[in-house]
Amino acid sequence: MNKHLTKHSPSISTEQRTSLNGHKSMVIWFTGLSGSGKSTLAQALERTLFDDKKIRSYVLDGDNLRSGLNQDLGFSAEDRKENIRRTGEMAKILVEAGIVAITSLISPFREERAAARHLFPEGTFIEVYISCSLEVCETRDPKGLYRKARNNELADFTGISSPYEEPLAPELILRTDRLTVEQSVNQIISYLIDHRLL
């Protein structure tokens, strides 16, 4: 930290904020290939938490972040690392504010995901691996990115010209090439209830 900066402690604790909200705060970190269903699931989960559980949550979607907060970043290894770092810090702010943060990013590297996890108290970082075969992701290809990557029109594309490192011990694995959106959301809700997070 810069020696000229002074970090100020909040006058209201996270515990006080979650007490006011009536629910715990956490980050639910979706990771997986493009086209695996991360954004769709994040939106569906947020809607379920809002409608059925009356929980304050907010989705930090990778594309949305790259349109604003992270618009200065490209897709080099360094920029990807910075993208995850910024998103983790933003999620941390939301969690400290008593909100459930739902992130939806490819976040392809274990090291960066581990760094994000270390920002949060034990038990409040829920890594959800949105597992879907590359073949199905390419079939979906909602943005036409796989086609461009296969045609060498897009460099450093995860799953084609850049690696994706599967999580070794995520809290939850969802096979979105086998499960419906509703089934996937229900599995997340069940996990949160079983672990007394809801």
Side-chain angles (χ1 to χ4, degrees):
M1 182 179 291
N2 189 301
K3 64 181 180 180
H4 300 295
L5 299 178
T6 302
K7 186 174 181 179
H8 296 275
S9 298
S11 59
I12 304 169
S13 70
T14 299
E15 290 73 20
Q16 289 173 309
R17 295 177 193 276
T18 55
S19 177
L20 178 66
N21 287 342
H23 60 78
K24 296 180 180 179
S25 63
M26 70 200 84
V27 59
I28 302 172
W29 191 283
F30 287 177
T31 176
L33 293 171
S34 178
S36 61
K38 297 181 303 300
S39 294
T40 299
L41 278 182
Q43 296 294 335
L45 175 61
E46 182 182 42
R47 174 52 63 183
T48 299
L49 291 175
F50 184 85
D51 288 344
D52 299 348
K53 305 297 183 182
K54 309 307 178 194
I55 287 176
R56 291 173 171 84
S57 62
Y58 196 83
V59 173
L60 297 172
D61 182 81
D63 283 357
N64 291 352
L65 290 169
R66 284 185 174 274
S67 299
L69 179 67
N70 296 337
Q71 64 181 316
D72 59 321
L73 300 177
F75 292 91
S76 67
E78 287 185 4
D79 281 359
R80 285 174 184 262
K81 184 175 182 178
E82 177 61 12
N83 182 52
I84 299 306
R85 188 195 70 80
R86 291 184 194 177
T87 303
E89 292 289 352
M90 185 71 248
K92 181 182 176 186
I93 290 171
L94 292 176
V95 170
E96 289 175 348
I99 295 170
V100 174
I102 305 168
T103 70
S104 172
L105 304 97
I106 294 172
S107 44
F109 301 117
R110 295 182 188 120
E111 183 179 354
E112 278 76 34
R113 295 194 303 266
R117 181 184 290 272
H118 288 311
L119 294 172
F120 300 89
E122 183 74 26
T124 63
F125 185 96
I126 314 303
E127 184 177 32
V128 182
Y129 175 30
I130 309 302
S131 174
C132 185
S133 69
L134 179 60
E135 292 74 21
V136 171
C137 290
E138 286 199 67
T139 300
R140 294 173 178 171
D141 203 11
K143 307 168 193 172
L145 300 179
Y146 283 102
R147 177 180 49 79
K148 291 180 180 178
R150 291 289 188 191
N151 292 332
N152 297 315
E153 299 171 26
L154 197 59
D156 299 319
F157 188 73
T158 303
I160 304 298
S161 52
S162 185
Y164 177 81
E165 298 175 350
E166 295 183 2
L168 298 177
E171 277 70 20
L172 197 57
I173 299 174
L174 298 176
R175 291 297 307 266
T176 55
D177 49 3
R178 301 177 184 176
L179 300 170
T180 66
V181 172
E182 183 179 7
Q183 288 170 332
S184 297
V185 169
N186 286 342
Q187 284 199 23
I188 298 169
I189 297 296
S190 294
Y191 175 90
L192 297 177
I193 291 172
D194 291 346
H195 289 79
R196 299 184 178 180
L197 294 167
L198 289 185

